[in-house]
Amino acid sequence: MDVMAARRKGFVRVALASKAHLVPVIAFGENDAFDTYVAPPGSLVARLMKCLKPFTGLTFPVFWGVGLTKVGCDWA
């Protein structure tokens, strides 16, 4: 299991300072809720993601889906 906040521990400090509650969460099946677009290397979307990453520290995925009403889910 990968811990996504391994390098970003400042949110704990901010939460403690603001007296917010921290709730550890493990989610299952979130990868099935949405589809993502994989940008081909050199495409406009890939270049935009690469330009934004130094400012934000992460890339924003292009995704689509409608949660519980997504077509093709066993429980929809």
Side-chain angles (χ1 to χ4, degrees):
M1 180 183 321
D2 295 332
V3 177
M4 300 306 292
R7 295 184 335 193
R8 301 182 181 123
K9 296 179 183 164
F11 75 95
V12 174
R13 191 176 308 115
V14 172
L16 292 174
S18 64
K19 301 197 187 288
H21 298 281
L22 293 176
V23 180
V25 175
I26 296 179
F28 297 98
E30 71 277 3
N31 292 339
D32 298 327
F34 296 98
D35 294 320
T36 56
Y37 172 71
V38 179
S43 68
L44 177 65
V45 175
R47 292 192 314 258
L48 182 62
M49 288 179 172
K50 188 175 181 180
C51 289
L52 289 175
K53 188 174 181 180
F55 299 107
T56 62
L58 52 96
T59 58
F60 296 97
V62 178
F63 63 92
W64 63 92
V66 284
L68 295 176
T69 62
K70 182 181 174 194
V71 177
C73 291
D74 296 336
W75 36 264

